[in-house]
Amino acid sequence: MSATNSSNEDAIVPSETGGIKVDAGVVAKPYREEIKLKVQHFKELGIEAPLLVGLLANSDPAAVKYAEWTGRACRADGLRYELRQLDNPLDVERALLDANDDPRVHGIIVYYPIFGAVESYSGASQDDYLRDTVSYKCDVEGLCHTYRSNLYRNTRYLDYPRNQNKCVLPCTALSVAKILEKCPCSDREKGVGKHMENQVVTVINRSEIVGRPLAAMLANDGAEVYSVDLDSIYLFSKGRLERCDSSVTPESCVRKSSVVVTGVPTKNYRLPTEWIRPNTTVVNVASFKNVDEDELLKIPGVVYVPMVGKVTVAMLERNLMRLFENFHHPRVRDEALLMGEYHPPSKRQRATSVAEELWDEPGTAHTQDTKERGAGVPWYHTALQIYSAAALTAILAVVLSQK
């Protein structure tokens, strides 16, 4: 094990004689245990576990499998999960807006692809438009504009200058970063932004979901990152992004790298193992194996992670918990109320809330005024209204006591 990582009790230790294959579940386990403890703590306080809503509008096998994994993991860890399946992709935007507005919903995940590369009047593609439609208060994938732009600017908090609410990071890219934290390439004893200092990384595939955010994330941690795609290679380094000239090739990038991440979504692609030097960490995020595993594991000191799905789901749960604590926890609502910053849901928002469901319960009587205002919705909008009501109540009590 590298001395730089010696303080990490759960560190992945490479072999001197050959490569080792790592089960991502080992990395995921402590994060999921932490989620379980938090859910149990909420239960003891009488607080319901966070609710994650998944929107599925396709039959893509990878998307369906991901939805199954998500639901199974959430239920196992005490989180609430609701899958909303849609027959028509055109209905996704309405379902997404309804979930954004639903006060019961604390996190949203959309299972892509839905429209694929179909163009949109509102952006590069309809799927990109949908990613930006997810509220930043519910975006467990960390792919909306707010979180993407903050990542590329290396802005780590939403609430400058208080710096208490951390941004959510794209969960698949984050899963790779968390795996690398357990490998010799990462030095957690160094300060923030320096954990990957002096490391060269090659990320093969520059997708918006994994490749691009991962390259930015590792560069923000101090690495020199080559982002390789079909027709270009970019270098992320020290806050700068530069296109490489023709002398820089995928082979030259991989040969100088201590970390290689493959994410090519085709079964025909194979990374030549002769490019990989000893003691390299290789992580495959594609649904296909992008490297000959047998040949790779013959290379001394190689650490190979063939799948990251278990850690991705753990990061999804972690992001859900962060969103809940940042925006939906009762404590957060109470603080906003005292500051006069909380506003009850609008009439359209209330239409999809639990209040409307309660309205139709048998044996429940309601006045017209209550119905218009929304059952279960606070009558007050600001702390001043509460103060005024309390003061008037006290004055009335004194007057009546004197009679």
Side-chain angles (χ1 to χ4, degrees), residues 228-249:
V228 178
D229 211 52
L230 286 173
D231 57 357
S232 61
I233 298 176
Y234 282 85
L235 174 62
F236 288 74
S237 180
K238 298 177 180 177
R240 296 178 64 85
L241 173 63
E242 297 178 357
R243 182 164 181 155
C244 300
D245 60 34
S246 58
S247 66
V248 180
T249 65

Side-chain angles (χ1 to χ4, degrees), residues 43-256:
K43 185 177 180 180
E44 292 169 357
L45 295 175
I47 299 172
E48 269 196 308
L51 171 63
L52 174 64
V53 166
L55 300 178
L56 179 64
N58 66 67
S59 57
D60 179 76
V64 173
K65 182 62 66 176
Y66 190 19
E68 291 175 357
W69 284 349
T70 307
R72 192 180 305 123
C74 284
R75 286 186 285 270
D77 295 340
L79 297 166
R80 295 182 297 146
Y81 176 76
E82 180 183 314
L83 181 63
R84 300 178 182 178
Q85 293 183 274
L86 304 159
D87 295 328
N88 189 341
L90 295 176
D91 293 332
V92 173
E93 183 179 0
R94 168 50 50 199
L96 179 51
L97 291 172
D98 287 344
N100 277 340
D101 290 344
D102 189 339
R104 298 171 301 168
V105 177
H106 309 121
I108 299 169
I109 177 171
V110 181
Y111 295 103
Y112 301 101
I114 294 177
F115 296 95
V118 173
E119 293 183 356
S120 166
Y121 287 109
S122 305
S125 75
Q126 187 68 13
D127 280 4
D128 288 336
Y129 167 71
L130 290 174
R131 289 186 191 99
D132 286 337
T133 303
V134 181
S135 166
Y136 73 95
K137 294 184 178 182
C138 294
D139 184 14
V140 293
E141 296 179 281
L143 293 171
C144 71
H145 180 265
T146 297
Y147 292 126
R148 288 202 322 272
S149 58
N150 281 352
L151 171 61
Y152 297 137
R153 292 197 297 262
N154 198 14
T155 299
R156 301 187 180 220
Y157 291 87
L158 285 168
D159 57 341
Y160 177 85
R162 293 173 67 232
N163 291 347
Q164 293 183 359
N165 292 347
K166 279 189 172 182
C167 289
V168 166
L169 294 170
C171 50
T172 304
L174 182 59
S175 72
V176 176
K178 291 301 180 183
I179 289 169
L180 295 180
E181 284 182 5
K182 303 297 182 182
C183 297
C185 58
S186 179
D187 185 355
R188 304 299 295 172
E189 293 183 355
K190 292 184 177 180
V192 174
K194 298 182 178 180
H195 298 155
M196 293 286 291
E197 202 170 45
N198 302 321
Q199 302 294 324
V200 178
V201 180
T202 294
V203 179
I204 302 175
N205 189 337
R206 199 180 306 125
S207 71
E208 287 289 349
I209 296 176
V210 183
R212 191 185 300 267
L214 177 60
M217 200 179 298
L218 298 180
N220 291 344
D221 264 353
E224 187 175 273
V225 185
Y226 288 97
S227 175
V228 178
D229 211 52
L230 286 173
D231 57 357
S232 61
I233 298 176
Y234 282 85
L235 174 62
F236 288 74
S237 180
K238 298 177 180 177
R240 296 178 64 85
L241 173 63
E242 297 178 357
R243 182 164 181 155
C244 300
D245 60 34
S246 58
S247 66
V248 180
T249 65
E251 179 179 356
S252 69
C253 295
V254 172
R255 286 189 180 277
K256 68 173 72 172

